[in-house]
Amino acid sequence: MREHTVAVTTTRLAGAMVVIAAVTSCASKPVAAPNAGSGSAAVRIIGYRWLLTGVSTTRGHMTVPRSFAAAIQFTADGKYLASDSLNAISGAYTSTKSGFLVHDSASTAVGYVGKNPQRLAAIAGIDAITGELDGQSSVTVTEANAPSTVLMAVPGYTLSLRRAGLAATFTSPSPTSTST
């Protein structure tokens, strides 16, 4: 009986792994956003998660530790999700010839009272490109070390980001029936 249970469990596990692999390979292929032209710089960033590695301003450059997990990701349906190491920021973007335009941003509102200059740089940099500072941002994207590193720039900030895997995709929730 024990041998049969192990065999069935192994078979189920192998079957589940095949299903997961099939779903992952279908769902995780980056594609261009419907509003992205073929010459758009945004096409190169869509479908990926980009980890913030540095922030440059007129005052200098600050390296951002990987442990902060400050990042931004772009989905093909024109949505983005970012983390400034403390808050989650989400919204929409529209591709432009030189990058993208961020709009309709919303954020959690956790305040940071610390003085860590790296964390402060991460927060300010991500907030600048997601429009948290002025409600909308026009971001210029250039490749630094194609295709795994990009620079995203807005007035006053240039962010260095490294590709850190595929962007997560979330399906819209299904409406539930209220009738009983």
Side-chain angles (χ1 to χ4, degrees):
M1 180 70 167
R2 178 172 248 177
E3 288 179 25
H4 176 70
T5 303
V6 170
V8 169
T9 302
T10 303
T11 303
R12 286 183 184 160
L13 180 60
M17 290 174 67
V18 168
V19 170
I20 290 169
V23 168
T24 303
S25 69
C26 291
S28 63
K29 292 184 177 157
V31 295
N35 57 358
S38 61
S40 171
V43 170
R44 295 185 295 272
I45 61 172
I46 297 168
Y48 296 104
R49 180 174 177 271
W50 296 91
L51 185 67
L52 181 62
T53 58
V55 177
S56 296
T57 67
T58 56
R59 289 179 273 163
H61 179 80
M62 183 68 62
T63 300
V64 176
R66 180 183 183 110
S67 61
F68 287 179
I72 188 166
Q73 58 186 348
F74 301 88
T75 60
D77 64 353
K79 305 283 192 252
Y80 79 88
L81 177 62
S83 170
D84 66 9
S85 80
L86 199 60
N87 286 292
I89 305 126
S90 63
Y93 72 92
T94 305
S95 296
T96 64
K97 188 170 184 127
S98 63
F100 57 94
L101 180 66
V102 171
H103 48 92
D104 301 328
S105 294
S107 175
T108 56
V110 177
Y112 179 64
V113 294
K115 296 186 185 327
N116 181 310
Q118 293 169 308
R119 184 159 320 265
L120 291 168
I123 292 168
I126 292 289
D127 289 356
I129 66 167
T130 60
E132 286 297 298
L133 300 180
D134 60 11
Q136 183 169 301
S137 288
S138 180
V139 183
T140 302
V141 177
T142 56
E143 291 182 344
N145 294 319
S148 62
T149 305
V150 296
L151 300 175
M152 294 184 187
V154 295
Y157 292 89
T158 299
L159 281 58
S160 304
L161 299 108
R162 183 179 45 78
R163 191 167 61 193
L166 297 171
T169 55
F170 303 96
T171 57
S172 298
S174 303
T176 55
S177 173
T178 57
S179 62
T180 55

